[in-house]
Amino acid sequence: MGEKTPDLLIIGSGPAGLTAGIYARRANLTVQIVEKEYRGTGQIADSGRVDNYPGLPGIGGYELGEQFRGHAEKCGVSFTEGEAGKLWREEGKWKCRLEDGRVLEARAIIYAAGTVHRQLRIPGEQQFFGKGVHVCAWCDGAFYKDRVAAVIGGGDSAVDAALYLAGICKKVLLIHRREDFRAAKSSLLQAEAEENIEILRNTVVSKIEGTHKAEAIWTQDNRRLPVDGIFVEIGQIPRTEILRELAVTDENGYIQADETGRTALKGFYGAGDVRTKSLRQVITAAADGANAAVLAAEDLRRTTEKEV
Ligand code: NAP
C-alpha cells in the first residue's frame, strides 16, 4: 500500500501560512508548508517594529515572525524549502511542482504566498529602507508623530495612508506623479480638506537623500523637500503568476476569495495579502490563515465522509 496523501499543502510561510499550519494541525490534518527561503517568515521580517499586533506592542517584525514559526513547528507542521512553480489538480489530488523539479501532493492547498511592494527604483530607496523609507503607514507611521512625512502614490493606498498619517504627523506631503488620482474621489476630497496634507501633483520623485537615514526627497524638477519619513504606497504585486492557468485571480492578480479563503476551485484556498481584501496587515493575514485552515478541514472531512 502506498503512502497516504498528506491532507494539506500550504504555499508560503508568512503569518497567513504559519497560522493556517497551526490551525490545520490542531484540526489533526497532516500539513506541509512550502517556504521560499529556509526559515523565512515573509514580509513581516522586514518590519523593524510592529506596534499594532495586539498584546505585543513594539515587537520586532523578525521576532514576531520567528514566534509564529516556532509555534507552527511545535504544533507539528513540517517545512519544505522550495519555490512553487506549477500547481494542478489530478485524480482528486492537488500537485505542486517546485522549481527544482520535486513534485509534492496533497488533498488541499492553501495558497498564502503574499505580495511584493512595488518599488520606485530610484537612488536612496533601498539604502534607506527601514531608515526613513517605509511601505506601510499603519505599521510604521507612529514613528513620525509630530514630524513631516511624505506619501508617494496616487491610488487608494496612498490617499488612505496620507489621511492616516495626517492624524499623527505635523505635516504630510502627498506626492503623485500625475494630475489625476486613481483613489476614490471621496477620500481625495477628504485629503484635500485636511489642513496638514499638502498635495503635490505632477511631481515625480527622482531621489531620496540622507546620511544615516532619509532626510529629503528630490523631485525631477530639482526641488529638495526635507522630510522625516517617506511612505512608498504605489501598489503591491501579488505573487500569483503561477496561478494564471487556474483562473482564480482578479484583474489585479489577487486570488478571488472571501474571508473563508474558498475559491471557485475545489480544495484550493487563498489566504493573506494574496487574497482580495481591503486591509493587508499581519493580523488580517493570520485571521485568513485560521479561517482557510478550519474551512479546509471541514471540506476535507465532508469529502472523506462522502467517499466512505
Ligand atoms: P494602485 O491603485 O495600483 O495605485 C498605485 C498608484 O501608484 C497609482 O496612482 C500610480 O500612478 C502610482 N505609481 C505606480 N508606480 C509608480 C512609480 N514608479 N512612481 C510613482 N508613482 C507610481 O495601488 P493601490 O493604491 O495600492 O490600490 C490597489 C487596489 O486596492 C486598488 O483597486 C484600490 O482601489 C484597492 N484599495 C482600496 C482601498 C480602500 O478601499 N480603502 C485601500 C487601499 C487599496 P498612476 O496613477 O500614474 O498610474
Side-chain angles (χ1 to χ4, degrees):
M1 210 172 81
E3 257 182 54
K4 202 166 167 267
T5 306
D7 294 315
L8 189 61
L9 193 60
I10 297 171
I11 314 292
S13 57
L18 292 169
T19 309
I22 293 166
Y23 274 73
R25 283 299 299 137
R26 291 171 61 83
N28 209 24
L29 301 185
T30 44
V31 188
Q32 191 169 27
I33 293 186
V34 178
E35 59 183 352
K36 205 169 135 190
E37 280 167 19
Y38 176 63
R39 298 190 68 80
T41 54
Q43 269 186 42
I44 186 175
D46 299 333
S47 194
R49 190 179 140 130
V50 178
D51 251 339
N52 55 5
Y53 196 80
L56 299 170
I59 189 165
Y62 183 83
E63 191 191 343
L64 185 57
E66 286 287 288
Q67 292 201 18
F68 284 165
R69 189 183 163 108
H71 192 163
E73 281 172 359
K74 216 168 155 187
C75 290
V77 172
S78 69
F79 290 85
T80 297
E81 195 184 337
E83 189 165 353
K86 185 177 163 68
L87 295 169
W88 73 101
R89 195 166 161 87
E90 194 179 298
E91 293 168 359
K93 292 175 196 168
W94 278 97
K95 307 241 177 178
C96 170
R97 179 177 297 118
L98 302 182
E99 291 292 354
D100 63 10
R102 280 177 292 159
V103 176
L104 308 175
E105 59 177 40
R107 296 173 67 209
I109 284 194
I110 294 180
Y111 193 88
T115 60
V116 285
H117 287 276
R118 191 173 285 132
Q119 295 176 5
L120 290 164
R121 302 191 182 283
I122 55 169
E125 185 183 29
Q126 282 299 315
Q127 186 187 348
F128 298 115
F129 187 77
K131 298 175 204 144
V133 177
H134 305 272
V135 289
C136 174
W138 285 264
C139 317
D140 300 322
F143 305 132
Y144 299 95
K145 187 168 164 14
D146 300 327
R147 309 188 75 180
V148 179
V151 178
I152 301 166
D156 281 310
S157 297
V159 175
D160 282 1
L163 287 168
Y164 175 74
L165 292 169
I168 299 169
C169 304
K170 182 168 71 184
K171 185 170 179 182
V172 179
L173 303 176
L174 174 56
I175 304 175
H176 181 33
R177 64 181 176 184
R178 289 189 301 127
E179 177 70 26
D180 297 323
F181 276 75
R182 285 175 194 270
K185 188 81 190 154
S186 55
S187 2
L188 184 61
L189 285 172
Q190 227 181 310
E192 284 169 342
E194 284 289 341
E195 271 183 11
N196 62 344
I197 297 183
E198 185 184 343
I199 302 182
L200 305 177
R201 293 177 155 86
N202 303 309
T203 302
V204 175
V205 175
S206 56
K207 185 177 135 182
I208 294 169
E209 180 192 273
T211 45
H212 301 298
K213 63 178 287 303
E215 287 161 10
I217 278 171
W218 279 91
T219 65
Q220 222 169 46
D221 53 2
N222 248 347
R223 278 178 292 157
R224 183 183 185 274
L225 309 170
V227 291
D228 300 301
I230 300 161
F231 291 85
V232 181
E233 295 281 0
I234 59 171
Q236 303 200 6
I237 305 168
R239 286 204 182 101
T240 53
E241 311 80 44
I242 67 163
L243 305 184
R244 211 164 286 148
E245 281 175 32
L246 297 178
V248 283
T249 52
D250 68 7
E251 67 280 12
N252 296 315
Y254 291 98
I255 295 178
Q256 287 181 292
D258 63 13
E259 67 274 13
T260 64
R262 283 186 180 124
T263 66
L265 300 176
K266 189 178 165 143
F268 188 86
Y269 307 80
D273 285 2
V274 81
R275 173 176 86 75
T276 46
K277 52 165 43 183
S278 58
L279 186 63
R280 294 192 164 83
Q281 295 282 286
V282 178
I283 194 156
T284 59
D288 272 12
N291 275 324
V294 169
L295 269 293
E298 236 176 79
D299 293 346
L300 287 173
R301 193 171 50 241
R302 270 198 226 111
T303 312
T304 313
E305 277 166 8
K306 260 195 247 155
E307 283 165 0
V308 172

